[in-house]
Amino acid sequence: MRRADGNGNGNGNENGNGDRAGRAGVWAVAGVFTAVAFLAAGALGAAQPGTGIPEEVVQLTQFGPALAVGAVAVFRLRRTRALLRGAAETAAGSRPLAGALLLGAAGLIVALSVLGSCAAGGEADFTPPGSLHHSFVLIAVAQLVGACGEEVGWRCFLQPLLRTRLGTLASSVTVGVLWGAWHVPVFAQAPAYAAGFLVATTAMSVLLGIALDGTGGWRRLLLAGGFHALVNLGLLLFLDEESGAVRPMLCFGLSCLVVAVLAAALRRGRRAPGPAAVPAPATLHGT
């Protein structure tokens, strides 16, 4: 520790060095999480055929981010617990309609995607639940579990971690891009398909970041997982976007973008009358 001189410069240097160390620590943890999430997803995807678990029910790759959280917790247990718990969990009760609006946004995204695809010359591709190879109830439950396996990493760990250094929008966009890039097989498709998918993940990340800001713990996980699962189920039943066809994926991406822009506009409108400045994100300490 440096000793302060008569003007207190030593203390200022300590604070500056500590802040730089904190920033470096945040990005180091984010880098470890991202690397493990990618590697774990690849390993789980390679192992799935040997497990006999149908991909229609759940894709094991979805648990890659959860394993990445576990890996980070090995050497940053206190920080991991703090992020998962949420620094402002008590604020969740102040917005009782936020959860309903978020889950409703999932239905709106699916509806706009279908309408857009039909307007662009496509056809509604409804798949009756009874025609699926497995029970729809089983698929719905498995999709929620798989979505929570992803969201405990993306929305409950990485996004709050980056939120300690970035604003809501910047942290949401960063996570959305990483989330999209994490779906590696998407980039084997046409460039327009991959672009539509990246727009979708980034826009949904912004929507989730806005809706969940100030919400922590199990409520955050269930809302993010529920939104994710509803979007997946809606696409499974109403849109054949995983076939590699460009039109439905572009419609999906644009629909996500429209809903995210609406959410951002509503958030800005709620804050406009208030002159108070937005407080800086809190910094998490400890390991």
Side-chain angles (χ1 to χ4, degrees):
M1 181 179 292
R2 293 188 54 157
R3 184 176 177 181
D5 59 22
N7 294 323
N9 292 335
N11 189 47
N13 288 337
E14 285 177 17
N15 291 338
N17 291 337
D19 190 56
R20 285 193 293 273
R23 286 197 297 269
V26 165
W27 291 110
V29 170
V32 170
F33 167 85
T34 304
V36 175
F38 273 78
L39 293 173
L44 290 171
Q48 177 145 6
T51 66
I53 300 175
E55 291 191 3
E56 181 185 66
V57 176
V58 66
Q59 295 182 1
L60 295 183
T61 55
Q62 290 183 282
F63 298 99
L67 292 178
V69 173
V72 172
V74 171
F75 65 97
R76 288 290 188 272
L77 181 59
R78 287 172 57 191
R79 170 168 285 188
T80 301
R81 284 178 174 174
L83 290 168
L84 295 179
R85 184 170 57 246
E89 189 172 0
T90 55
S94 63
R95 296 186 299 165
L97 295 179
L101 292 174
L102 179 60
L103 298 181
L108 179 59
I109 286 172
V110 174
L112 290 176
S113 299
V114 174
L115 291 174
S117 183
C118 291
E123 296 180 358
D125 190 18
F126 175 65
T127 302
S131 68
L132 298 172
H133 294 94
H134 301 85
S135 164
F136 181 72
V137 174
L138 172 63
I139 292 175
V141 172
Q143 284 291 324
L144 178 59
V145 172
C148 288
E150 281 194 49
E151 296 303 338
V152 72
W154 301 121
R155 241 61 58 180
C156 297
F157 178 82
L158 185 60
Q159 199 148 340
L161 174 67
L162 297 184
R163 182 70 177 86
T164 65
R165 292 297 172 185
L166 305 173
T168 300
L169 181 60
S171 60
S172 300
V173 169
T174 302
V175 174
V177 172
L178 290 173
W179 183 29
W182 176 76
H183 292 79
V184 176
V186 166
F187 298 96
Q189 306 291 341
Y193 183 97
F197 185 81
L198 278 176
V199 169
T201 58
T202 304
M204 286 190 291
S205 186
V206 169
L207 174 62
L208 286 163
I210 291 172
L212 299 177
D213 203 23
T215 302
W218 285 102
R219 177 181 171 86
R220 185 180 183 95
L221 176 60
L222 290 178
L223 286 176
F227 170 87
H228 190 152
L230 286 175
V231 170
N232 283 351
L233 290 171
L235 297 179
L236 173 67
L237 296 179
F238 296 101
L239 201 68
D240 186 23
E241 96 293 349
E242 290 193 357
S243 65
V246 172
R247 180 177 57 238
M249 179 54 74
L250 287 178
C251 291
F252 175 53
L254 290 174
S255 298
C256 292
L257 182 60
V258 167
V259 175
V261 169
L262 287 174
L266 288 173
R267 178 173 179 261
R268 185 174 182 179
R270 288 198 304 269
R271 291 188 171 190
V278 178
T283 301
L284 292 172
H285 297 284
T287 57

